[in-house]
Amino acid sequence: MIDESGQTDALLAHWRELMQSNYGVPRIALVSGSGAEVVDAEGRKYTDFLGGIATNVLGHANPEIVAAVSTQIRQLGHVSNLYAHPKALSLAAKLRRLSGDDSARIFFCNSGAEANEAAFKLSRLTGRTKVIAMHGAFHGRTMGALALTGQPSKADPFRPLPTGVVHVPFGDLAAVAELIDDETAMVMVEPIQGEAGVVTPPPGYLVGLRELTMRFGVLLALDEVQSGMGRTGTWFAHQADGISPDIITMAKGLGGGLPLGAMLALGSASGFFQPGSHGSTFGGNPVACAAGLATIEVIERDGMLENNASLGKYLATELSHLNQVEEVRGRGLLIGIGFRTEIAYQVQLLLEERGFLSNAASAYTLRLAPPYVITEADIDRFVATLAEILKETTL
Ligand SMILES: Cc1ncc(COP(=O)(O)O)c(C=O)c1O
């Protein structure tokens, strides 16, 4: 029996014994949370600047999500895809509206990898098999999503993967122009690369990709799993560029902390899937959809898009003044702090010791993706603590 009220050491010993080794052993066991604060098994508090990796957009134990989920699970918890459910339809209608395209049709799933897997399968229904994706891209860990992911260290042990995917440098329009042709099914790209360390492309990149893909009748699929749901100050990051893609994939913040993903296909792509093309037992689960609806309602009600944009600017400006910070990348509340030297992991640990959660996306980059309920006061405390850490001579 596991003592769920046990302390960190005991819980992590169980982790070592019970869990697969694919993640490594965590250092912290979290047991509760409220707003932007989480509490570990020792009762220590942390301000959460990572939000369950860009997922708990309304923070922890948000009352509207708790109420929506509780009401729904009392009424009807799961129906499968053999039956319609009003919550899935309401959420689909909302997502169509947020996409800004009345032709959008929605496929629900449970994660980002599944959303991209769906996009990959949909692209095969063009009758073409070539796909252009980007170096450094992260699209998930299932075999199809891994084939799209542009990180050989993650993909190499699992080859052969589905074929046809060619990777080119992110942000390099000329490299896409050189490869794209009338045998290309899809170009897949993150508007801002998240796992690669919050990398933004040069201005005009997405517009250029849209022009190239239209010229050759190629689907443009945007992976908004990390950059979507209002994090960057618009509902989807690509909306800042004024383009309309053929496919948008999303997950993470979509369910406000519950597992929920979606693939939206727009225009002619919206008609490619036919009965039997694809499926998911849990996709569109009423409880997850109720959480998704509540999440969107609160973001709209509380004007969080504008707030994310302005808080993000404030955070980025404050960070950019710090010693050892070479650059601050990203937009809104998706931020990568680029250090001059390989200190990111050590900084993450020191921040944890002083009560802040963040994530070293690479040796040089600390990633921040806080919940939208983070305040200017939280930011001031975070920046002051980071400044202290960066002044320490041991780094
Ligand atoms: C851009 C992007 N796409 C896809 C994924 C995969 O999502 P999931 O872990 O939910 O499968 C992630 C996860 O980090 C991501 O950042």
Side-chain angles (χ1 to χ4, degrees), residues 172-190:
D172 185 347
L173 212 47
V176 177
E178 207 166 295
L179 275 177
I180 198 167
D181 54 24
D182 52 18
E183 288 173 8
T184 310
M186 173 171 81
V187 171
M188 171 157 278
V189 65
E190 294 159 87

Side-chain angles (χ1 to χ4, degrees), residues 49 314-328 335-341 343-360 364-368 377-395:
F49 271 77
Y314 178 67
L315 175 54
T317 308
E318 294 299 298
L319 291 168
S320 65
H321 299 138
L322 297 183
N323 187 26
Q324 303 209 46
V325 170
E326 182 155 279
E327 58 172 351
V328 182
I335 288 192
I337 310 172
F339 297 115
R340 295 202 170 86
T341 50
I343 56 172
Y345 187 60
Q346 206 182 337
V347 170
Q348 178 199 311
L349 298 185
L350 291 168
L351 280 165
E352 282 168 6
E353 278 172 20
R354 294 170 204 206
F356 294 95
L357 300 185
S358 62
N359 166 251
Y364 287 95
T365 302
L366 194 75
R367 175 176 43 166
L368 308 180
D378 293 325
I379 289 176
D380 289 342
R381 285 190 305 108
F382 176 84
V383 173
T385 306
L386 181 58
E388 264 170 41
I389 289 171
L390 294 175
K391 267 196 211 130
E392 285 173 9
T393 49
T394 51
L395 286 181

Side-chain angles (χ1 to χ4, degrees), residues 23 53-55 110-116 137-142 145 149 188-196 223-227 249-252 260-261 367:
Y23 297 116
I53 319 185
T55 293
N110 314 285
S111 68
E114 285 172 83
N116 290 326
F138 187 76
H139 298 298
R141 304 282 197 150
T142 55
T149 289
M188 171 157 278
V189 65
E190 294 159 87
I192 297 173
Q193 285 193 333
E195 299 299 301
D223 179 342
E224 293 264 14
V225 168
Q226 190 155 160
S227 56
T249 59
M250 58 194 77
K252 289 197 185 280
L260 182 59
R367 175 176 43 166

Side-chain angles (χ1 to χ4, degrees), residues 260-348:
L260 182 59
M263 182 209 55
L264 272 63
L266 321 173
S268 62
S270 67
F272 284 13
F273 272 171
Q274 293 300 315
S277 296
H278 197 45
S280 162
T281 299
F282 277 117
N285 169 275
V287 179
C289 288
L293 277 167
T295 303
I296 293 170
E297 273 157 25
V298 173
I299 293 173
E300 286 183 323
R301 184 197 68 197
D302 293 353
M304 286 177 166
L305 299 189
E306 299 74 24
N307 198 47
N308 289 354
S310 63
L311 268 186
K313 268 196 193 121
Y314 178 67
L315 175 54
T317 308
E318 294 299 298
L319 291 168
S320 65
H321 299 138
L322 297 183
N323 187 26
Q324 303 209 46
V325 170
E326 182 155 279
E327 58 172 351
V328 182
R329 299 185 296 269
R331 195 155 74 222
L333 293 180
L334 181 58
I335 288 192
I337 310 172
F339 297 115
R340 295 202 170 86
T341 50
E342 296 178 297
I343 56 172
Y345 187 60
Q346 206 182 337
V347 170
Q348 178 199 311

Side-chain angles (χ1 to χ4, degrees), residues 94-302:
K94 275 251 168 149
L95 292 177
R96 172 182 279 182
R97 183 168 59 70
L98 301 185
S99 78
D101 189 324
D102 281 348
S103 69
R105 293 178 72 187
I106 289 85
F107 167 76
F108 283 121
C109 51
N110 314 285
S111 68
E114 285 172 83
N116 290 326
E117 201 71 44
F120 198 2
K121 281 183 73 177
L122 188 143
S123 80
R124 290 279 172 101
L125 300 181
T126 59
R128 306 174 181 184
T129 53
K130 182 167 154 186
V131 172
I132 301 175
M134 309 305 155
H135 289 315
F138 187 76
H139 298 298
R141 304 282 197 150
T142 55
M143 295 300 249
L146 196 54
L148 297 167
T149 289
Q151 301 186 25
S153 63
K154 295 190 170 76
D156 285 348
F158 302 101
R159 296 192 191 284
L161 296 167
T163 54
V165 184
V166 197
H167 291 95
V168 298
F170 180 60
D172 185 347
L173 212 47
V176 177
E178 207 166 295
L179 275 177
I180 198 167
D181 54 24
D182 52 18
E183 288 173 8
T184 310
M186 173 171 81
V187 171
M188 171 157 278
V189 65
E190 294 159 87
I192 297 173
Q193 285 193 333
E195 299 299 301
V198 191
V199 185
T200 45
Y205 180 60
L206 290 185
V207 173
L209 287 181
R210 181 66 286 187
E211 282 166 10
L212 279 173
T213 46
M214 282 179 77
R215 198 180 311 154
F216 290 91
V218 171
L219 299 174
L220 177 62
L222 298 181
D223 179 342
E224 293 264 14
V225 168
Q226 190 155 160
S227 56
M229 298 317 294
R231 177 160 296 282
T232 66
T234 48
W235 277 106
F236 299 104
H238 70 268
Q239 289 168 337
D241 299 79
I243 61 151
S244 182
D246 302 292
I247 297 174
I248 309 170
T249 59
M250 58 194 77
K252 289 197 185 280
L254 177 59
L258 271 81
L260 182 59
M263 182 209 55
L264 272 63
L266 321 173
S268 62
S270 67
F272 284 13
F273 272 171
Q274 293 300 315
S277 296
H278 197 45
S280 162
T281 299
F282 277 117
N285 169 275
V287 179
C289 288
L293 277 167
T295 303
I296 293 170
E297 273 157 25
V298 173
I299 293 173
E300 286 183 323
R301 184 197 68 197
D302 293 353

